[in-house]
Amino acid sequence: MAGFETADQYFERYRDIIPDYEGFLSSLSEPLPLYFRLNTLKIRDPEPVLRGLRRQGFEAEPVEAVPWFFRVEPREASLGNTEEYYLGLIYPMTLSSSLPVYALDPRPGELILDLCAAPGSKTTQMAQLTEDRAVIVANDRRLDRITALVANLRRLGVACVVTTVYRGEQYPLEVAFDKVLVDAPCSGEGRYRRGYEGELLYQKEGRTNLSGIQKGLLVRAYDVLKPGGILVYSTCTVNPEENEAVVDYLLRKRQAEVLSWEAPLPSHPGLTEWEGRPFHPDLRKARRFYAHEIGAVGFFVAKLRRIT
Amino acid sequence: MSGRARKKMDPRARWPVPVSQEERRNILNYLSDRFGFPPDLFEPYEFLATSKNYWLFVRTPYLRELTRLRIQTAGLLFLRKVSGYLKPTTAALQRFGHQATRNILELDRYTLDRLRLEKKIPYESDLEPGYVILKCEGRIWGCALYLPGKLISHLP
C-alpha cells in the first residue's frame, strides 16, 4: 500500500461487507468515544468514583450491556491525570476491548496465557472477572511494553499475574494452558478516525507482513493449549486478511473448531468468502463488530477450541 | 531476542520462590499486629520471596510448572524488607487497606497534598510510631512512616 489515500478511498474495498457503509463513513468524523472500566478489585460502588470525576469535569454514564464499563465526556480529555486513575480505581479502555475477554470467559483457577498482553487492559479485566483467582501469564515481546503492563498491574492491585517476555511465535511449549488469548498486533483500522488518529498503521508500516505475524501467533497459541483448551483470537481491524484468513489458516494447519459465543454488543457473522477466496464455513461463528454500530473501536473476535 | 530483553527487571530475582510456613506466619502476624488485617484475608494467596521483597501471588497448583518459564514478575509487590522492618507497599495498601483496622491515618485534603508535595511534614499523633496507612476522604492512598513529631511519605 503506497502513497496517500483518503479514508473514503481506503475503506472503499469494504463497501460490501460493512453494514450501513455511508453511516460508517460519516461516523469517522466523530472523535472516538471514551470509556473506562471500574476496577472492582478495589471498589465496587461506582458512586464515589463518578462523583470524583465530576469534580474534575467528567460526566460518566454506565454502559448497560457491559458491566463495570462507563462512557465518559468530554471524550477529548484524558483520564490519565485524574485521582481515580492514580489510585487505580479505573482503567481507561475502549468498550470493544472487553469483547475478547467475554469470549474467553476466564474462570478462577484456570491457567490462562495472554500472548500479546501489554499494556494490560484485557489481562487486568480477566483478573477482575475472576476476582484475582485465575492464574494469568501476561506476555509481550518487548520489555518496555512489559514495564508499562507491570505498572498497570501494580496500579490496579492485581496479584494473579505472572509476566514473561517472549516472541509470541516462539512461546515455550513447556507449559500447557487452559485458555489462550491472542489479541494480535494489527493494522488498527477499527480505531481509525479522520484527523484524530492519523494514518492507519497498515500504511505506516507498509511492508510489515501483519497477516504472517498473526498466523504465527495463532498457531503457537494453539500449540501451547491443553487438548480441549479454548483459544480466542481478536484484532481491532476490519481487514479479512488479518481476521478470517488468519483463523482459516489455523483451521487448515491444526485440529480446531470455531465456537459460537454470546456477545454483549451488536455484531455480524464472520465472512466465509473474501475477494473470491472461500473460508471455512464455520467462520460465520466468528463475530465482527463495527465502530459505528457499537460506538467504540471496531473489532473482530473468534473463539476456538483445540480438539486433540 | 536481544540481550536487553533477556535481562530480568530485578536481576536478583529468582522466581517464584514461596516462603516457608514459618516465614508466612511471621508475615501474617506482622500484618495482623500492625494493621489488624484478618489472617484469612490472605488465605487465597501465596507469599513469594526475593532477597529484599515479598510478593503476593494467587495460590495455585501451577506454581512449580510456571518456573519452566523465564518469569519477569510474579504477582503484586507487597512488602519490602527495610533495615529489619517490613514496609507494606502503597500498591498493597491501596488494594487491601480497607480491611485494616489499626494504624490508619486519616488526613484532610490539605495535609495530604502538603505531604505529597513536601514528602516529610511535622506531624503529631497518638499512633504507634511505624508504617501507617494514609486515608483521605474515604480513599486509601498508601504508605507513610510516622515517627514522633513527623510524617514521611512513601507514596510514589
Side-chain angles (χ1 to χ4, degrees):
Chain A
M1 171 140 332
F4 176 80
E5 279 187 304
T6 64
D8 300 40
Q9 287 166 336
Y10 183 88
F11 287 108
E12 181 60 28
R13 62 195 182 126
Y14 302 140
R15 181 180 280 277
D16 294 338
I17 61 171
I18 296 181
D20 178 23
Y21 183 71
E22 296 306 322
F24 168 77
L25 282 184
S26 68
S27 77
L28 297 180
S29 301
E30 292 276 307
L32 270 172
L34 180 63
Y35 297 90
F36 71 81
R37 193 186 78 234
L38 189 75
N39 177 20
T40 54
L41 291 180
K42 285 192 175 175
I43 190 165
R44 295 189 79 85
D45 176 9
E47 276 315 312
V49 169
L50 300 184
R51 237 184 354 258
L53 289 174
R54 213 170 292 134
R55 267 204 306 271
Q56 294 158 88
F58 291 97
E59 285 299 330
E61 288 286 329
V63 177
E64 287 298 323
V66 189
W68 312 115
F69 275 78
F70 294 79
R71 191 172 174 148
V72 189
E73 295 287 354
R75 57 182 72 179
E76 296 86 354
S78 166
L79 291 165
N81 296 320
T82 61
E83 184 174 309
E84 287 69 20
Y85 179 89
Y86 173 83
L87 294 175
L89 305 177
I90 62 171
Y91 192 111
M93 64 188 281
T94 188
L95 180 63
S96 31
S97 250
S98 65
L99 294 166
V101 175
Y102 277 96
L104 196 71
D105 190 19
R107 299 294 172 93
E110 285 176 341
L111 183 58
I112 300 171
L113 174 63
D114 189 350
L115 195 61
C116 314
S121 60
K122 296 166 195 76
T123 308
T124 52
Q125 190 189 346
M126 288 193 263
Q128 165 170 344
L129 288 181
T130 57
E131 300 193 9
D132 214 15
R133 304 282 173 88
V135 182
I136 306 169
V137 179
N139 178 72
D140 204 277
R141 59 174 291 188
R142 277 172 50 185
L143 188 63
D144 55 339
R145 286 170 57 84
I146 280 290
T147 307
L149 167 78
V150 170
N152 277 325
L153 295 173
R154 190 189 311 128
R155 190 170 63 81
L156 271 71
V158 174
C160 67
V161 174
V162 159
T163 59
T164 61
V165 182
Y166 290 103
R167 289 181 67 94
E169 307 90 315
Q170 294 161 11
Y171 205 84
L173 298 167
E174 278 87 350
V175 178
F177 293 88
D178 297 308
K179 291 177 176 171
V180 181
L181 172 61
V182 183
D183 185 46
C186 72
S187 57
E189 292 170 354
R191 60 176 66 247
Y192 179 76
R193 294 286 145 135
R194 281 191 198 97
Y196 289 93
E197 294 278 336
E199 302 170 273
L200 292 158
L201 182 61
Y202 199 93
Q203 290 169 298
K204 220 159 46 189
E205 302 188 358
R207 279 193 297 275
T208 307
N209 177 9
L210 282 168
S211 173
I213 293 169
Q214 291 152 347
K215 286 170 185 167
L217 290 169
L218 189 58
V219 168
R220 193 56 154 200
Y222 174 97
D223 289 343
V224 299
L225 269 182
K226 295 174 184 172
I230 298 295
L231 177 53
V232 167
Y233 176 77
S234 63
T235 70
C236 60
T237 188
V238 183
N239 188 358
E241 293 296 331
E242 299 178 59
N243 293 329
E244 286 87 348
V246 174
V247 177
D248 187 67
Y249 178 83
L250 179 77
L251 296 177
R252 281 184 282 115
K253 294 286 174 190
R254 297 287 190 273
Q255 292 284 310
E257 60 174 331
V258 188
L259 303 179
S260 304
W261 62 284
E262 212 46 54
L265 297 173
S267 67
H268 296 266
L271 305 180
T272 50
E273 187 254 313
W274 172 245
E275 292 183 338
R277 195 178 130 204
F279 298 130
H280 194 289
D282 277 354
L283 269 159
R284 70 169 65 89
K285 294 181 186 169
R287 309 309 311 169
R288 289 184 152 257
F289 301 86
Y290 293 103
H292 59 309
E293 293 190 339
I294 59 173
V297 168
F299 248 77
F300 172 87
V301 183
K303 179 172 184 172
L304 300 139
R305 196 173 73 92
R306 175 173 172 154
I307 294 172
T308 51
Chain B
M1 181 175 301
S2 72
R4 190 173 152 269
R6 217 174 263 281
K7 208 175 97 187
K8 298 219 176 190
M9 288 177 140
D10 179 352
R12 293 153 304 187
R14 279 168 42 245
W15 293 109
V17 187
V19 300
S20 66
Q21 277 305 315
E22 192 194 344
E23 211 171 351
R24 181 184 175 89
R25 251 192 320 275
N26 291 342
I27 294 170
L28 292 177
N29 285 344
Y30 164 74
L31 292 171
S32 150
D33 292 350
R34 179 73 202 166
F35 301 109
F37 282 119
D40 60 354
L41 180 60
F42 302 105
E43 204 38 53
Y45 298 99
E46 193 97 60
F47 290 99
L48 308 179
T50 52
S51 57
K52 289 187 175 160
N53 300 317
Y54 290 117
W55 301 68
L56 192 72
F57 185 60
V58 62
R59 198 188 281 277
T60 169
Y62 292 119
L63 192 63
R64 277 201 73 77
E65 203 173 329
L66 288 173
T67 59
R68 294 178 200 159
L69 300 172
R70 200 167 59 231
I71 290 172
Q72 295 286 328
T73 62
L76 187 66
L77 181 54
F78 201 76
L79 293 164
R80 289 184 183 281
K81 301 174 209 173
V82 182
S83 51
Y85 293 93
L86 289 178
K87 183 194 93 62
T89 62
T90 279
L93 293 182
Q94 282 187 2
R95 169 78 196 277
F96 295 99
H98 282 291
Q99 325 248 6
T101 54
R102 268 207 294 285
N103 287 308
I104 300 162
L105 187 54
E106 189 91 46
L107 298 180
D108 58 44
R109 173 65 61 167
Y110 169 80
T111 314
L112 176 75
D113 287 348
R114 188 176 163 204
L115 179 67
R116 290 182 70 195
L117 199 69
E118 297 177 21
K119 304 291 179 207
K120 183 168 153 183
I121 58 173
Y123 197 83
E124 288 299 344
S125 164
D126 51 8
L127 292 177
E128 307 157 45
Y131 293 110
V132 294
I133 300 174
L134 292 178
K135 199 171 175 182
C136 176
E137 293 170 357
R139 289 176 173 180
I140 302 286
W141 278 76
C143 183
L145 177 63
Y146 172 69
L147 297 172
K150 60 186 167 191
L151 188 62
I152 300 161
S153 166
H154 281 280
L155 297 176

